[in-house]
Amino acid sequence: MRRRHLFTLAAAGAVATGCSPDDPAPGRSAAAPAQAPTPAAGPLRFPDGFAWGASTSAYQIEGAAAEDGRGPSVWDTFSHQPGRTHGGDTGDVAADHYHRLYEDLDLMKDLGLKSYRFSISWSRVLPQGRGALNARGLDFYHRLVDGLLARGITPVATLFHWDTPQALQDRGGWEQRDCAQWFADYAQQMFYSLGDKVTTWLTLNEPKTVVSLGYVTGTHAPGIKDRKIANVAGHHLLLAHGLAVRAFRASGRKGGIGAALNLSPVYAADGSAGAAKQAATLDVEENLRWLDPVLLGKYPDGWLAGQPAPVRAAVRDGDAAVLGERTDLLAVQYYNPVFVDAKGGRVKQHPTTQATWLEVYPDGLYDLLTRIKRDYGDIPLTITENGMPTTNDVQDDDRIAFLRDHFAAAHRAVQAGVRLQGFHVWSLLDNFEWAEGYSQRWGLIRVDPATRDRRRKASAEWYRGVIARNGLDGGGSAQPSQPGRTSPAS
Ligand code: GCO
């Protein structure tokens, strides 16, 4: 099962772009291929205070799915349906983080993390999605945030990482405009509850993935396959983002807020005019139809006109201003580039990983970051996801090489003037990789599938050194490292 299908769908015309390939938005174009990577000679140091971090999300690690009053989310429902996930895996126990919170906090401190990006399970704090807070659920996040602060780690809280409360799905979920307001109300409750301690907030994680996998291919929760309404959900997600930003401003809480978008630079696979046209068209779907609303308060020219009627009807006067509420940062999630030929087919030009959609191309990160600065200005950026799965158990030298090359690309972007403030590796722990279940292991820290015992991988040991040095030595070559034998608590 492949996780990211959007490219295929857009190329097949399943997702209407409404943009004439002859007429890409003026002044913007799909990425030009990067120059060959220049191996840096000396040590690469990042700016003082650079936020080296790691990312997780609630359903992927917490477990305790029915404890302390938590209500089900769409992912509980979906993962329990036959045939939805690899081997029928669910997040019922996941990495058991809910019960191993302090062990995990100590592991983070042992790594030297400066920043930790997690998500709040909406249905743990609001079992029905709305109404009165579940104090026991909320208490978990108080303990997590207090534990981070006590260890000198900055909390970065994501409000929605795909786990819509099932109670709200039963009322229509993101297809309903009301869902945007339900989300904003929940966000407001979080700002009031945790906003004296959490100062960086992310509204949505990867709305593009929710739309493409949750509503077009149906391979993610809620498992809907309906192209006509997929971008209705997409619009309501963006509306939710904007309303939550407004609620944040109204709360008077200090700090910053932004969205977490997964973006892929799109390249022509050859020098033909046809490939360039296809790349410009696909760039709209992969990048611009998310960046433009959030950063410019509009959909790309012609995009909405090319959408099915229900999508056009969903967009009302005044919505643009909500979508484009001023944000304080943009969280960038980068995994892969897309190379496209004149027929609109994807051409993989680089090695892939166990996740076959993940074509490894670190220069794409440089191109993406510099493109955002060029086209959208100097908004502070933080990388909230980048990483790879590997079948290597704890001696994950392939992950070290992957991260080293992406850190070096990020460093080049910083040198080019990009305001990059942090880099969060996906992921801290091996976890529930959605439809792939536990078959893909993305963690710096191994989680034993049977006992859930933790063990630091070679990449964790290596990352600790990167953080301690605030960068890479010797032009970014991987330092030899040995996996940790035990977790620090034992
Ligand atoms: C995503 C998610 C993560 C995934 C990761 C690896 O954004 O897709 O935020 O939950 O696990 O990207 O596929």
Side-chain angles (χ1 to χ4, degrees):
M1 258 179 286
R2 288 195 334 183
R3 213 174 69 48
R4 283 173 170 79
H5 292 259
L6 181 65
F7 167 80
T8 330
L9 295 162
V15 179
T17 67
C19 250
S20 157
D22 291 316
D23 185 25
R28 294 185 300 173
S29 59
Q35 293 169 350
T38 350
L44 305 182
R45 292 286 170 264
F46 282 72
D48 287 348
F50 193 74
W52 294 105
S55 272
T56 62
S57 88
Y59 189 71
Q60 293 182 274
I61 64 166
E62 284 180 4
E67 274 178 59
D68 292 339
R70 178 183 179 275
S73 79
V74 292
W75 267 98
D76 294 277
T77 307
F78 186 80
S79 65
H80 280 270
Q81 289 167 353
R84 294 295 205 180
T85 64
H86 175 92
D89 290 343
T90 74
D92 288 0
V93 180
D96 202 24
H97 172 69
Y98 192 80
H99 297 119
R100 293 174 183 251
L101 174 62
Y102 291 102
E103 182 183 355
D104 290 342
L105 285 165
D106 286 344
L107 282 161
M108 292 183 220
K109 182 173 162 63
D110 171 72
L111 284 181
L113 293 191
K114 309 288 184 206
S115 182
Y116 174 60
R117 183 243 180 176
F118 61 95
S119 79
I120 296 170
S121 159
W122 184 351
S123 64
R124 192 180 291 287
V125 295
L126 287 166
Q128 297 300 311
R130 309 189 295 160
L133 283 167
N134 172 29
R136 288 177 298 164
L138 182 60
D139 196 49
F140 171 74
Y141 297 104
H142 276 295
R143 291 199 303 276
L144 168 59
V145 169
D146 290 345
L148 290 168
L149 294 174
R151 289 164 182 77
I153 303 169
T154 303
V156 175
T158 306
L159 289 160
F160 176 70
H161 201 122
W162 304 353
D163 44 0
T164 314
Q166 184 60 46
L168 299 185
Q169 188 63 34
D170 295 343
R171 293 167 171 262
W174 292 107
E175 290 173 50
Q176 293 301 321
R177 191 176 171 93
D178 285 347
C179 200
Q181 190 59 51
W182 298 332
F183 176 77
D185 293 345
Y186 146 65
Q188 182 187 47
Q189 286 173 294
M190 293 304 101
F191 302 143
Y192 283 114
S193 302
L194 295 164
D196 54 339
K197 300 185 284 200
V198 174
T199 54
T200 304
W201 294 92
L202 302 177
T203 52
L204 310 175
N205 177 74
E206 297 195 0
K208 179 169 73 179
T209 311
V210 177
V211 168
S212 57
L213 303 193
Y215 287 87
V216 178
T217 64
T219 48
H220 275 194
I224 292 167
K225 293 187 202 180
D226 186 347
R227 288 169 196 152
K228 287 204 174 59
I229 58 93
N231 275 319
V232 171
H235 182 66
H236 294 152
L237 280 159
L238 288 172
L239 209 53
H241 157 83
L243 291 173
V245 174
R246 279 192 180 169
F248 181 70
R249 303 287 177 227
S251 76
R253 290 303 199 184
K254 294 199 175 59
I257 189 163
L261 302 181
N262 55 321
L263 301 167
S264 286
V266 183
Y267 305 91
D270 56 54
S272 69
K277 277 186 199 174
Q278 293 287 351
T281 303
L282 191 58
D283 185 38
V284 174
E285 280 308 312
E286 288 286 349
N287 303 303
L288 307 185
R289 60 82 80 240
W290 301 106
L291 285 167
D292 283 11
V294 168
L295 298 180
L296 305 177
K298 65 182 196 61
Y299 285 114
D301 293 342
W303 182 84
L304 189 57
Q307 291 295 311
V311 182
R312 283 183 271 122
V315 180
R316 298 188 188 165
D317 286 350
D319 284 1
V322 180
L323 269 45
E325 273 296 327
R326 183 184 59 78
T327 45
D328 306 293
L329 73 154
L330 177 70
V332 174
Q333 315 205 148
Y334 172 69
Y335 288 97
N336 61 286
V338 176
F339 290 87
V340 62
D341 65 19
K343 291 195 174 136
R346 181 171 180 183
V347 184
K348 289 198 187 139
Q349 303 196 338
H350 304 88
T352 57
T353 68
Q354 183 196 11
T356 51
W357 53 266
L358 205 178
E359 177 175 355
V360 181
Y361 188 60
D363 280 345
L365 178 59
Y366 173 85
D367 291 343
L368 174 61
L369 296 174
T370 51
R371 188 262 180 105
I372 294 170
K373 177 182 161 74
R374 190 175 67 238
D375 291 349
Y376 296 92
D378 242 350
I379 184 163
L381 304 179
T382 185
I383 295 166
T384 41
E385 288 188 25
N386 174 253
M388 64 171 277
T390 170
T391 51
N392 291 329
D393 197 31
V394 285
Q395 196 60 49
D396 54 345
D397 296 323
D398 46 356
R399 178 175 285 115
I400 293 174
F402 179 99
L403 292 175
R404 175 202 61 207
D405 293 347
H406 286 83
F407 293 168
H411 188 267
R412 281 205 292 135
V414 171
Q415 284 182 311
V418 170
R419 282 175 74 190
L420 181 66
Q421 300 184 331
F423 197 123
H424 301 74
V425 172
W426 184 271
S427 182
L428 179 70
L429 303 167
D430 288 340
N431 60 50
F432 174 78
E433 176 56 16
W434 308 113
E436 316 299 339
Y438 299 97
S439 66
Q440 291 182 5
R441 305 175 74 75
W442 291 73
L444 296 163
I445 293 168
R446 177 181 190 273
V447 177
D448 187 275
T451 64
R452 269 82 183 180
D453 284 349
R454 275 59 168 148
R455 184 174 173 189
R456 294 186 302 268
K457 301 182 188 179
S459 58
E461 304 290 349
W462 173 83
Y463 191 35
R464 184 204 284 114
V466 171
I467 297 171
R469 288 189 298 275
N470 195 26
L472 302 168
D473 276 341
S477 64
Q479 310 295 310
S481 40
Q482 295 298 319
R485 240 171 272 173
T486 55
S487 52
S490 46

